[in-house]
Amino acid sequence: PWILRGASVLLHLLNAWLVWRVARELLADAPSRDAAATVAGAWFVLHPMHVETVVQVTFNEDLLVTTAALLALIAWRRGATGWCAVAFGAGLLSKESALILPPLLLAHEMTIRRVTWRASFAMDSKAYAALLIVCGVYGLLRFGWFVNPAETGGAYIGGAVMPSLLTMGQALGRGLSLPLIPWPPSIIHLVPVTLTPLSPGVVLAAMGISVWLWIAWRSPAVAAFGLLWAPITLLPILNVIPFLAVPGLGERYLYTGAAGLALAVGAGWAAIPRRTPRVVLAVVILGLWGLLASARTRVWSEPLRFYRTIVAEIPGYAVPRIGLGKAYLREGRLAEAREMLGEARRLNPRDGTP
C-alpha cells in the first residue's frame, strides 16, 4: 500500500537526516564539517543497497532499528541515559538485531572518546546498567507474553553450529564489501556452505575482515568508529541463534551498518586536501548511487520481475516459486501460475518452504 511505502520513505529520509546530524557533530573539528556531513547523508540516502529495505514495507523493522540506534547514540553523547534506554527499548521492540546497540556505544567510547572498555564501564556503569535492564525486560516480554508456540525459528546452515559459523562468516565478509562496491546486484547474495575453516571462501573472508579491522584501528577517530559500526551490526547474521534458512545475505541486513559507513565516508571525504577532487568524487559516486538505486527500484517494485529474479538466483527453493505463482494468479495467467506452484510442491511436498 502506498501509505506504508510512503512511511518507509519518510523513515529512510529521517535516518539520512540523523546520519547528517551525527556526522556534523562528530566532525566538529573538520574545516568542511557541513559539507562532509552532507556527503555522508547523501551517500546513505542514495545507496542502491537500501532499495530492498525501503521498497519492501515488511522490512521497515530495519529502518526502525536504525532510527533507534542513531537516536540512542545522540542521547548517549548528551548523557541522557533515560532517553538512550527508551530508544534502545523501541529498537528491540522493532527487531532483536537492536541488541547490537551496547557494543556500538562501547565502540564509540573506545574510538571517539579514546577510553578503554574497563574505563567506559566504570565511568558509565549506570548507563550500561539501564541498557541491561531494558534487555532483561524485553527478554521477559519476548519469551513470556509475546511468545508464539507455533514459531519454529531457523536452523543452523549445514546442520550444525560450526558449518553455520563458517558459512555465514563468509556472508559477513561479503557484507562489508557490498556497501563499498554494490556489484553484482542480487536479491540474495549466496555463499557456499562449507564444513572446513581452510576452504578458500572462509580464508578470504577471514583475511578481508582482518584487513578491515586493521584499517579501522589505524584510522582517525570518526573513521574508525564508522568502520567498526558495520561489522558490529552484521554480527547477528552469524546465525549463532539460528533464524536463517538460506546461506546468504539479504541487502536489508546491510542497512544499519551503512549508517556507520556513511560516517566513515564523510570523514574520509573531509580528509581530502583539495576542494576540486572532493567535489568531483562526490558527484561521481552519488550520481552512480542514484542510477543504480533507480535500476534496483524497478526490480523491487514490480512483483513479476522481482519473483522471476529471485527464482533465477535461488532455483532450489520453493518459497520464491510460490510468490511467482501468486503473482501470475493476480495477472490472470492461470497456466503459468499452476506450473510454478506445481514446481514449488515438487521442491517441498510438505508445505512449500525451503
Side-chain angles (χ1 to χ4, degrees):
W2 69 267
I3 294 179
L4 295 177
R5 187 164 293 179
S8 294
V9 171
L10 290 176
L11 272 174
H12 182 51
L13 294 175
L14 172 61
N15 288 335
W17 178 77
L18 290 171
V19 167
W20 173 85
R21 180 167 177 172
V22 171
R24 190 172 183 272
E25 187 173 314
L26 293 178
L27 295 169
D29 297 330
S32 53
R33 175 182 72 168
D34 290 343
T38 301
V39 168
W43 186 91
F44 180 82
V45 79
L46 293 173
H47 203 291
M49 290 291 165
H50 295 164
V51 171
E52 174 185 4
T53 313
V54 178
V55 173
Q56 287 288 98
V57 295
T58 53
F59 298 149
N60 62 13
E61 57 194 12
D62 295 284
L63 297 167
L64 292 169
V65 166
T66 305
T67 305
L70 290 165
L71 289 174
L73 176 61
I74 292 171
W76 178 274
R77 287 181 54 81
R78 284 157 176 71
T81 300
W83 286 114
C84 181
V86 168
F88 181 39
L92 285 174
L93 290 173
S94 302
K95 190 177 182 180
E96 290 171 353
S97 60
L99 285 169
I100 53 89
L101 181 61
L104 202 61
L105 297 176
L106 181 60
H108 170 272
E109 297 299 291
M110 297 177 68
T111 54
I112 303 298
R113 293 182 175 163
R114 298 293 185 182
V115 298
T116 65
W117 63 271
R118 288 189 179 90
S120 178
F121 285 149
M123 291 187 298
D124 300 309
S125 57
K126 292 182 179 179
Y128 285 114
L131 298 180
L132 184 61
I133 291 171
V134 170
C135 284
V137 172
Y138 174 76
L140 291 175
L141 292 173
R142 172 64 178 83
F143 299 104
W145 191 5
F146 296 154
V147 68
N148 180 5
E151 186 177 18
T152 58
Y156 287 119
I157 304 297
V161 176
M162 187 54 65
S164 183
L165 284 174
L166 294 174
T167 300
M168 298 314 295
Q170 297 174 85
L172 193 153
R174 183 81 174 115
L176 293 177
S177 64
L178 276 172
L180 302 178
I181 307 174
W183 195 266
S186 180
I187 292 172
I188 295 181
H189 298 270
L190 295 175
V191 294
V193 177
T194 183
L195 304 178
T196 170
L198 297 179
S199 69
V202 173
V203 173
L204 286 174
M207 291 174 60
I209 295 169
S210 299
V211 169
W212 185 282
L213 296 176
W214 181 82
I215 293 173
W217 179 63
R218 301 287 296 177
S219 296
V222 178
F225 178 47
L227 290 172
L228 288 176
W229 183 311
I232 289 172
T233 59
L234 284 173
L235 288 176
I237 71 165
L238 289 177
N239 212 36
V240 175
I241 299 175
F243 71 99
L244 295 168
V246 179
L249 183 70
E251 292 176 358
R252 64 187 180 276
Y253 298 123
L254 308 175
Y255 186 84
T256 304
L261 282 180
L263 301 178
V265 167
W269 186 86
I272 299 174
R274 298 180 61 185
R275 182 175 182 273
T276 301
R278 283 190 299 176
V279 173
V280 171
L281 184 63
V283 169
V284 169
I285 291 179
L286 296 179
L288 178 61
W289 265 205
L291 291 173
L292 291 174
S294 176
R296 295 294 286 157
T297 301
R298 287 195 293 272
V299 173
W300 279 96
S301 59
E302 299 175 13
L304 280 177
R305 182 180 293 186
F306 168 77
Y307 284 113
R308 284 171 181 161
T309 302
I310 196 170
V311 164
E313 290 182 1
I314 49 174
Y317 288 81
V319 170
R321 296 178 184 274
I322 294 174
L324 182 55
K326 291 179 178 178
Y328 281 137
L329 280 175
R330 286 191 291 269
E331 296 286 330
R333 298 162 64 170
L334 301 183
E336 291 164 295
R338 188 180 298 110
E339 178 185 0
M340 195 56 55
L341 293 173
E343 290 180 10
R345 181 177 292 276
R346 283 192 295 274
L347 285 170
N348 192 323
R350 289 187 302 109
D351 55 5
T353 56

